[in-house]
């Protein structure tokens, strides 16, 4: 930490952070009688009072509950304001839907929450407070649509097929990571593919799309060859509205931008004008020029017609040395595929599509350009293709879903698509939802099976031999909502024969199934700000411990036996007594967590296998210190499923060798053993590890959405956050050598798929 001061022959931290607001976490509501739930209509406003005698959350806050009927896709804004209490508002509804808000803006104690309802049914609004025991009057209003606009210079309804102008500025609201943002919305056509582009010359654009069944983010358009502009292509999954969030890559960036929303390729129904009929084996030349028909987004185009048969394998290429070609094909059954650059990389910026036609009928081949206004000559070629690729275009799905289950029989034959390595392949599209654990089984007595799955969110899984010899099985958790392509093929080229494929939800592995939910985290959380003269005081490190406890309690995972020690209570004796109390109650189904935020120091000891530098690391408490060796003795008293030590203090990495010395222990440390730790000013937290541990354990590390945060997910989340937010944070050794702060993770014998905690369930 810059400006650290000498402490007991070691180094301590000064100014370890500021007040932290919860980034996530849910309150658990006790069972409320029906009479405690009052109806409220959309567009209505009520005056209420929270007071003794009201229903209470399990965490002690008074709560009033209001109910309303909502419909799928409806946008609703709830606002709770009060001059008496720090408002906290939550909405709960069908299928486990839950959203919440503490502060409407930074420094604001009023709450405002705008949500898109996922299903039709009854929703409950819980009007409560941030802290237990608060009482006073409040006003609650419920509106259909958005509340006060995010920005007067951007946001609102996005117009399709035109340039929507906007401006990021300092008066805009911010997303959770601090960047300014505008919110746009539009209503799409179910099943239609849309492209959203965010362009700016004044800041580095970042684009997010949110809606029922769609959640996509993009930093840089990968088709833009170095452009910082953002581009997202997605399929409108259902009726309802989609929100488009326009923001920046870095905090504080401002400037003008253009938001473009269009159907993929600019494709509405396109008349085959200006072109002609083409057949496989034919090549034609043409020219894009002023006077051609144009797409909605301004690109010139020529349209050709191809008469195809179901199952035909064709290859279409579009080449030009005068403009950047863009190619797409559309046909029966809403079939539509597009290509900017040949994905093999063998043909530069020219376009190439290899596809299997899904139905007999007319197909339109559209020759156009990547940018509006480009002109020049081109050559379009259409040929029959006996050799496809793994990326061959897929027919639209036929309503298959993992939740509904799929069971089918098929035949690999010489007329099937072939992979580039020569194997025949059949492909199926199955829709899935984020967090579903799915199982796919492929069996055949005629050939050695090979099974592949590809999907959104970089989903990828292959299997050659499953548990039954040459049959194949994939068991995985889906990372995102959307369509997944299942490829049925063989291990060796040219193999043919009948097969059976089943796909559905999986019961998971015994390791996951055996993890109990509910308040299984037995924690000792220690934070010291007021050292009472023993060491220099620190700002808000006590709050790090209090906020972590509050977050875990609201998430419903913290056991009541857990102990929080701050300031005068955070003594050496207090920590030892806490260990004795918690260790006596935590059992083999539980997780133990020791968290500390405060000063760290070092003491001279004899050189040993655990102390190669002759220095023992310590955490500094109100009246003394606990060394790494003493901490190891305290951890040895535990008999839990998994134990976690988290130290946000200088030199904390030195605890790794001592404490993580037996199976079932994970160590997370804010810095290496000879380096200081810095304050996380950006997040107004006592330390980076304190902030990211809290956000990770309460949901952000739940990458696959299954509500089971594994050791791999948690450590990956922390490493990614440190890599993006802490990589340039300078620190130093006790003798002044400068370096950078790095997270230290020691998992010992804990496997990556071992579950740390189960969230969101009882």
């Amino acid at each position: 930490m810059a400006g650290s001061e000498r402490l007991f022959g070691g180094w301590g931290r000064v100014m370890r952070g500021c007040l932290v607001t919860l980034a996530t976490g849910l309150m658990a509501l006790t069972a409320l009688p029906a009479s405690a739930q009052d109806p409220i209509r959309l567009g209505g406003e009520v005056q209420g009072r929270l007071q003794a005698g009201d229903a209470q959350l399990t965490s002690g806050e008074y709560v009033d509950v209001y109910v309303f009927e909502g419909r799928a896709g409806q946008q609703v804004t709830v606002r709770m304001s009060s001059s008496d209490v720090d408002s906290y508002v939550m909405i709960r509804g069908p299928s486990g839907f839950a959203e919440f808000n503490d502060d409407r803006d930074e420094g604001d104690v009023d709450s405002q929450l705008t949500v898109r309802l996922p299903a039709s049914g009854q929703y409950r609004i819980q009007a409560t407070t941030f802290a237990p025991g608060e009482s006073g009057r409040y006003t609650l209003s419920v509106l259909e649509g958005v509340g006060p606009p995010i920005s007067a210079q951007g946001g609102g309804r996005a117009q399709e097929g035109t340039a929507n102008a906007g401006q990021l500025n300092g008066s805009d609201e911010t997303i959770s990571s601090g960047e300014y943002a505008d919110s746009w919305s539009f209503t799409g056509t179910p099943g239609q593919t849309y492209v959203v582009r965010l362009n700016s010359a004044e800041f580095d654009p970042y684009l997010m799309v949110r809606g029922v069944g769609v959640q996509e983010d993009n930093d840089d358009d990968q088709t833009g060859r170095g452009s910082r502009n953002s581009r997202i292509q997605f399929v409108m999954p259902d009726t309802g509205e989609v929100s488009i969030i326009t923001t920046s890559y870095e905090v504080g960036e401002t400037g003008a931008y253009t938001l473009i929303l269009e159907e993929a390729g600019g494709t509405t129904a396109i008349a085959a004008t200006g072109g002609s009929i083409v057949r496989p084996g034919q090549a034609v030349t043409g020219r894009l020029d002023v006077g051609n028909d144009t797409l909605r987004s301004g690109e010139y185009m020529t349209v050709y017609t191809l008469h195809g048969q179901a199952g035909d394998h064709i290859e279409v290429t579009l080449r030009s040395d005068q403009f950047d070609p863009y190619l797409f094909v559309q046909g029966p059954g809403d079939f539509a595929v597009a290509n900017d650059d040949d994905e093999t990389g063998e043909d530069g910026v020219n376009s190439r599509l290899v596809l299997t036609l899904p139905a007999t009928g007319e197909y339109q081949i559209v020759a156009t350009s990547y940018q509006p206004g480009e002109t020049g000559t081109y050559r379009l070629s259409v040929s029959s293709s006996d050799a496809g690729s793994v990326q061959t275009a897929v027919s639209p799905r036929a309503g298959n879903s993992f939740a509904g289950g799929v069971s089918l029989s098929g035949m690999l034959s010489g007329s099937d698509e072939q992979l580039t390595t020569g194997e025949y392949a059949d492909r199926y599209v199955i829709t899935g939802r984020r967090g579903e654990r799915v199982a796919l089984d492929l069996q055949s007595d005629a050939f050695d099976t090979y099974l592949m799955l590809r999907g959104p969110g970089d989903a990828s899984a292959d299997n050659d031999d499953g548990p039954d010899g040459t049959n194949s099985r994939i068991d995985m958790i889906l990372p995102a909502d959307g369509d997944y392509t299942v490829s049925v093929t063989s291990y060796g080229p040219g193999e043919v024969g009948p097969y059976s494929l089943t796909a559905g939800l999986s019961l998971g592995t015994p390791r996951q199934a055996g993890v109990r939910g509910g308040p299984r985290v037995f924690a000792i959380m220690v934070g010291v700000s007021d050292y009472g003269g023993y060491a220099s005081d620190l700002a808000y490190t006590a709050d790090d411990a209090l906020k972590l406890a509050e977050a875990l309690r609201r998430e419903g995972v913290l056991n009541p036996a857990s102990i929080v020690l701050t300031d005068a209570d955070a003594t050496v004796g207090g920590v030892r007594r806490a260990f004795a109390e918690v260790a006596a109650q935590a059992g083999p189904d539980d997780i133990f967590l020791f968290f500390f935020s405060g000063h760290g120091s070092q003491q001279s000891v004899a050189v040993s296998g655990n102390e190669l530098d002759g220095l023992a690391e310590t955490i500094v408490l109100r009246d003394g210190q606990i060394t790494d060796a003493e901490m190891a003795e305290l951890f040895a008293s535990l008999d839990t499923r998994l134990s976690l030590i988290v130290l946000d203090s200088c030199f904390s990495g030195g605890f790794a060798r001592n404490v993580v010395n037996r199976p079932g222990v994970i160590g997370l440390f804010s810095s290496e053993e000879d380096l200081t730790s810095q304050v996380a000013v950006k997040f107004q937290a006592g330390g980076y590890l304190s902030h990211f541990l809290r956000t990770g354990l309460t949901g952000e590390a739940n990458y696959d959405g299954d509500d089971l945060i594994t050791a791999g997910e948690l450590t990956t989340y922390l490493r990614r956050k440190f890599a993006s937010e802490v990589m340039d944070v300078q620190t130093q050794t006790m003798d002044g050598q400068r370096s950078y702060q790095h997270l230290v993770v020691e998992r010992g014998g804990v496997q990556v798929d071992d579950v740390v905690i189960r969230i969101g369930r009882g």
Side-chain angles (χ1 to χ4, degrees):
M1 170 173 296
S4 295
E5 57 183 309
R6 252 181 216 289
L7 171 69
F8 316 120
W11 285 65
R13 298 183 298 175
V14 298
M15 193 56 190
R16 285 286 302 172
C18 301
L19 180 64
V20 178
T21 58
L22 294 179
T24 185
L26 298 177
M27 294 182 179
L29 180 64
T30 55
L32 296 177
S35 60
Q37 302 183 10
D38 297 322
I40 188 171
R41 61 179 179 83
L42 293 180
E45 181 177 286
V46 297
Q47 309 290 326
R49 177 190 287 274
L50 295 173
Q51 57 191 347
D54 285 345
Q56 289 180 276
L57 304 177
T58 55
S59 44
E61 296 83 357
Y62 300 125
V63 60
D64 289 341
V65 179
Y66 301 88
V67 296
F68 69 93
E69 292 292 327
R71 65 179 186 274
Q74 190 173 28
Q75 193 173 41
V76 174
T77 298
V78 179
R79 183 172 186 187
M80 180 182 177
S81 58
S82 174
S83 59
D84 297 337
V85 300
D86 187 351
S87 303
Y88 199 108
V89 67
M90 297 176 284
I91 301 179
R92 299 181 185 272
S95 304
F97 176 80
E99 293 288 347
F100 51 93
N101 178 268
D102 170 24
D103 297 328
R104 179 168 178 255
D105 297 300
E106 185 176 351
D108 188 359
V109 296
D110 291 340
S111 300
Q112 180 169 303
L113 185 62
T114 299
V115 298
R116 182 78 57 191
L117 304 183
S120 297
Q122 189 179 84
Y123 288 81
R124 293 188 304 166
I125 300 171
Q126 298 168 228
T128 184
T129 60
F130 182 75
E134 291 187 81
S135 61
R137 295 185 177 276
Y138 65 86
T139 300
L140 182 77
S141 61
V142 186
L143 303 174
E144 184 168 9
V146 298
I150 289 179
S151 170
Q153 298 182 352
R157 297 295 297 180
Q159 299 301 311
E160 186 180 343
T162 188
N164 299 272
Q167 178 90 22
L168 292 185
N169 56 53
S171 64
D172 289 339
E173 288 196 4
T174 59
I175 57 178
S176 59
S177 49
E179 294 83 1
Y180 299 121
D182 290 338
S183 180
W184 302 78
S185 62
F186 83 102
T187 303
T189 302
Q192 177 63 54
T193 300
Y194 290 92
V195 174
V196 186
R197 294 188 178 97
L198 177 61
N199 302 332
S200 177
E202 299 181 20
F203 61 88
D204 187 352
Y206 196 98
L207 188 60
M208 297 181 285
V209 176
R210 298 289 186 270
V212 178
V214 58
Q215 180 169 328
E216 300 286 346
D217 291 21
N218 179 263
D219 173 23
D220 296 329
D221 178 4
Q222 297 303 312
T223 69
R225 294 175 299 285
S227 169
R228 298 195 309 170
N229 292 325
S230 298
R231 177 182 183 274
I232 291 176
Q233 180 169 317
F234 68 97
V235 177
M236 186 72 183
D238 204 345
T239 56
E241 289 197 339
V242 167
S243 295
I244 302 171
I245 310 300
T246 54
T247 183
S248 62
Y249 181 74
E250 296 286 353
V251 173
E253 292 187 275
T254 59
Y257 64 83
T258 301
L259 175 70
I260 300 170
L261 167 67
E262 60 189 357
E263 296 177 1
T267 60
T268 53
I270 297 175
T273 59
S276 60
I277 295 175
V278 292
R279 298 176 177 84
Q282 185 178 0
V284 297
T285 58
R287 179 176 179 82
L288 296 183
D289 209 342
V290 177
N292 283 91
D293 290 338
T294 62
L295 302 174
R296 280 187 173 189
S297 45
E299 296 86 354
Y300 300 120
M301 68 173 181
T302 306
V303 183
Y304 298 87
T305 300
L306 170 72
H307 295 282
Q309 299 292 318
D312 282 353
H313 304 298
I314 66 168
E315 179 178 333
V316 186
T317 60
L318 179 64
R319 295 184 173 91
S320 176
D321 58 6
Q322 297 179 10
F323 63 88
D324 185 353
Y326 196 98
L327 179 66
F328 61 88
V329 177
Q330 58 184 25
D334 294 327
F335 180 81
V337 291
N339 178 263
D340 172 24
D341 298 333
D342 179 6
E343 294 177 347
T344 67
E346 298 173 357
D347 206 7
V349 298
N350 292 315
S351 299
R352 172 179 178 266
L353 278 172
V354 179
L355 55 129
T356 301
L357 302 184
T360 299
E362 273 193 3
Y363 291 81
Q364 294 173 319
I365 301 174
V366 182
T368 184
S369 61
Y370 180 73
Q371 296 286 354
E374 292 187 271
T375 60
T377 58
Y378 62 82
R379 181 178 177 83
L380 176 75
S381 301
V382 182
S383 61
S384 296
S385 175
D386 293 326
S389 73
V390 184
Q391 297 173 336
T392 299
V394 183
S395 303
R397 62 184 177 88
N400 297 323
S401 71
F402 287 105
V406 175
S407 180
L408 55 87
S409 298
M411 174 76 71
L412 284 187
S413 67
S415 63
D416 286 338
E417 167 195 340
Q418 279 185 288
L419 306 181
T420 54
T421 47
E423 297 84 2
Y424 299 116
D426 287 343
R427 301 208 289 163
Y428 303 92
V429 179
I430 306 175
T431 188
R433 297 191 64 82
R434 179 176 182 264
E436 287 181 339
R437 175 169 280 277
V438 300
L440 302 92
D441 287 282
L442 174 62
Q443 299 185 4
S444 176
D445 295 328
F447 60 90
D448 187 351
T449 63
Y450 199 97
L451 188 59
M452 296 181 288
L453 182 143
R454 302 289 185 270
D458 297 324
S460 177
D462 292 22
N463 182 263
D464 171 21
D465 296 331
D468 299 323
T470 58
N471 293 320
S472 302
R473 177 180 174 83
I474 291 174
D475 192 305
M476 66 176 292
I477 296 169
L478 302 183
D481 293 348
D483 288 344
Y484 290 79
T485 300
V486 179
S487 298
V488 173
T489 184
S490 60
Y491 180 75
E495 294 186 82
V496 297
Y499 63 83
S500 63
L501 173 69
T502 60
L505 299 181
S506 170
L507 296 178
T509 64
R511 181 183 309 218
Q512 292 168 321
V515 175
R516 297 175 59 186
R520 313 306 307 181
V521 179
F522 287 73
I524 301 172
M525 291 155 287
V526 184
V528 191
S529 292
D530 180 2
Y531 272 89
Y534 181 74
S536 58
D537 290 343
L538 301 174
Y540 301 112
T541 39
D543 285 313
D544 283 345
L546 292 168
K547 292 299 184 181
L548 176 61
E550 181 70 9
L552 295 177
R553 180 166 59 88
R554 290 181 185 272
E555 193 62 42
V557 299
L558 189 65
N559 191 278
S562 299
I563 296 174
V564 179
L565 300 173
T566 60
D567 296 337
D569 295 324
T571 63
V572 173
V575 170
R576 291 187 176 278
R577 286 189 295 273
F579 262 90
E581 292 178 25
V582 174
Q585 299 182 65
D589 289 331
D590 304 320
I591 176 175
F592 171 78
L593 166 65
F594 180 79
F595 169 84
F596 174 79
S597 180
H599 278 304
S601 188
Q602 293 180 312
Q603 297 177 351
S604 296
V605 294
V607 175
S608 67
N610 282 334
E611 305 296 356
L612 301 177
D613 57 358
L615 293 172
E617 284 67 44
T618 70
I619 56 172
V620 182
L621 299 164
R622 173 72 174 240
D623 62 348
Q625 303 175 59
I626 293 179
T627 67
D628 45 14
E630 292 169 336
M631 184 64 69
E633 294 175 359
L634 293 173
F635 265 74
S637 66
L638 299 166
D639 180 22
T640 53
R641 176 178 64 82
L642 188 145
S643 300
L644 190 63
I645 178 172
V646 183
L647 304 182
D648 199 343
S649 56
C650 296
F651 318 116
S652 54
F655 279 74
R657 284 191 301 269
N658 297 81
V659 179
V660 189
N661 59 359
R662 59 191 179 89
V665 180
I666 300 177
L668 302 172
F669 310 102
S670 62
S671 60
E672 295 168 278
E673 66 177 309
D674 59 346
L675 292 172
T676 57
S677 292
Q678 291 279 20
V679 60
V681 175
K682 177 178 181 179
F683 301 103
Q684 295 186 312
Y688 291 98
L689 181 54
S690 297
H691 176 73
F692 293 130
L693 178 74
R694 180 168 56 252
T695 57
L697 285 180
T698 52
E700 289 192 15
N702 184 25
Y703 283 120
D704 56 25
D706 67 345
D707 291 339
L708 297 170
I709 297 181
T710 64
E713 285 179 315
L714 179 60
T715 55
T716 296
Y717 171 79
L718 292 173
R719 285 188 173 110
R720 286 177 177 175
K721 289 300 185 181
F722 265 69
S724 63
E725 304 293 349
V726 197
M727 62 180 299
D728 295 325
V729 174
Q730 289 193 351
T731 184
Q732 60 188 7
T733 65
M734 62 188 304
D735 56 2
Q737 301 175 51
R738 295 191 175 274
S739 186
Y740 295 90
Q741 185 175 343
H742 296 289
L743 175 73
V744 176
V745 175
E746 180 57 64
R747 283 193 289 106
V750 177
Q751 300 183 32
V752 293
D753 64 345
D754 279 335
V755 177
V756 177
I757 59 172
R758 180 190 293 270
I759 63 173
R761 301 178 186 177

